[in-house]
Amino acid sequence: MTKRSLGRTTRTFGGSSGVTRTAALVAAIALTASACGGGGGAANSGQSVSSTFTYALSGLPTSLDPADYQGDPSRNIGFELGSSLFRWGTEQLDNAGCDVLANVDQLDGELAESHERAADGKSVKVTLRDATSAAGNKLTSADVKWTIDRLIALKVGTPNTLMQDVADYATDPIKVVDDKTFEILMDTPSAMDIAILTWAQFRVLDSTEVKKHVTDADPWGKEYVARNSATFGPWTQKPEDFVTGDRLTLSRNPNYTGERGDVEKLVFLSVPDASSRAQLVSTGNANYGTGLQYEQYAQLKSTSGVEVQTCVSADRIPLVLNAADPVLGKPEVRQAFSLAIDRKTIVDAVYRGFNKPSQYGLSQAYGIEHTDAGTYAHDVDEAKRLLAGAGVGATSITLHISPARPGPEAEQIAILLKDQLAKIGVEVKIQTIASATEINTIFHDGNFQALLYLEPPAVADPYYSVFLYNSSFSKLNTFGYANPELDAVARQIGALSPGPERDELAKKASELQVANPGLIYLVDRDFVHAVRTGFTNYQHAPNGEMFVHTLKRG
């Protein structure tokens, strides 16, 4: 696509109002770039690549506190702030993890220098590296304990689920040995014990600094942490660098001694409109834009100065059927729905050459050799037979969808599902929910018949994917599905490290989820990143984040 033809496609990205918003954003970025000593536009102008990386998000959270999780923007910013004990070891993998997912045994220390499991598997001794926060405070085991105690006391959702349900940490899980050594205590052994600590909300806070700002009314320093990152990671900021709803500017932590690249400033910019984010990337006024539409990714693939990276992901889009419903609760009915769905047609029609139809009960990203019994089939006649055998004639369901989750493609998928399920006598009434908060509330309350959703595992691992929604002991199983055989297999997978025995159990879990579906998986999503050229050394962790501090010019 030439520069001239790109100019004619601005309305495709957002229409005239989108162009106006984009022009205003470009002006704002120019001011930020001037203040930072560089800007994203340098990559588009023939000059040397700027030392500032501009990251266009759908929005900014109102708080930097890891205890205040506000969806994707909190996750994106949290991973970039770093300060994790462990990270995914992607450097030795094909294409730095873009082509194959790192597994739970492929972890490196970040703030942790080394770790050692006890013989009984119920504790892990961790030794810390020498690290210093931007405030000049040395990292100690007390920082780790205070950070974990804080997440527990504040009852923070995902971290507590990971500790209590996924890795089965003890009630008081961190035992300080000395300033540089601590133990993680567990009630039962788990293959997930340190992998969960890669999740961004576990970033270790500088407790010495935060405690200067605690009060009786605010014993965990929430007011301070809302405006101050207070970590030992590669970045730092001042309160004035965080403009709620607008932008966040991160600068190098001068005391950080870990590996890093050439980016001096990282600017997160709030750009709610996807077409405007795409336009900023296409013109070089942003280096990266999150959550674009697939039509926009397809356009950007042929745009000069833009690289579209497509990497393996364990994220999946499922159809959720409420098992509390007297019809949808029948295993034969759920299996009939699965057989009636032509997944390939959905992916071909919706995704412009991106993503894959779900083939198995577990994501194909895990690289497990599946059996025929663990493979989805498309068989309308068999679906009709199963419904007849279950005593179900012509029936009607309401399908809740939202452009917020799984994304703007939800309507297209729903229309295709409506057409495909009509062939087995099921009428689908589509109800669209615009708000991300509302669709999540509907799911968490179990207040739906059928719902199109997104499964993005916090830890990309077969156990976590089986456990997350499909096990009866998960808090996120809000739709009443229970399969004791799958529960038993899931628990066995969770206790084993990667290897042949674990793969066989994962294969069995896949078969069980095809024969008696909890979630009916439709699409295996890729991580798709549209980035400006000029930087290299991307590390493709299984959570799909950028890790801008590692990027190098070239």
Side-chain angles (χ1 to χ4, degrees), residues 145-177:
K145 179 166 178 56
W146 192 84
T147 296
I148 299 299
D149 287 351
R150 183 177 191 268
L151 292 170
I152 293 170
L154 295 174
K155 300 179 180 179
V156 185
T158 298
N160 278 278
T161 295
L162 289 168
M163 288 188 286
Q164 296 165 6
D165 299 331
V166 176
D168 202 13
Y169 279 17
T171 303
D172 185 10
I174 305 298
K175 177 184 176 182
V176 172
V177 177

Side-chain angles (χ1 to χ4, degrees), residues 171-229:
T171 303
D172 185 10
I174 305 298
K175 177 184 176 182
V176 172
V177 177
D178 56 38
D179 277 356
K180 288 295 182 184
T181 312
F182 65 91
E183 293 181 345
I184 305 170
L185 308 178
M186 285 160 284
D187 289 333
T188 57
S190 168
M192 309 290 288
D193 49 14
I194 65 172
I196 66 166
L197 297 174
T198 62
W199 179 243
Q201 287 178 277
F202 286 111
R203 58 186 178 272
V204 179
L205 299 177
D206 177 358
S207 65
T208 300
E209 197 63 24
V210 178
K211 285 179 180 178
K212 295 176 183 178
H213 304 275
V214 303
T215 64
D216 290 344
D218 183 15
W220 296 107
K222 283 185 62 62
E223 184 176 349
Y224 178 77
V225 180
R227 305 290 306 170
N228 296 271
S229 51

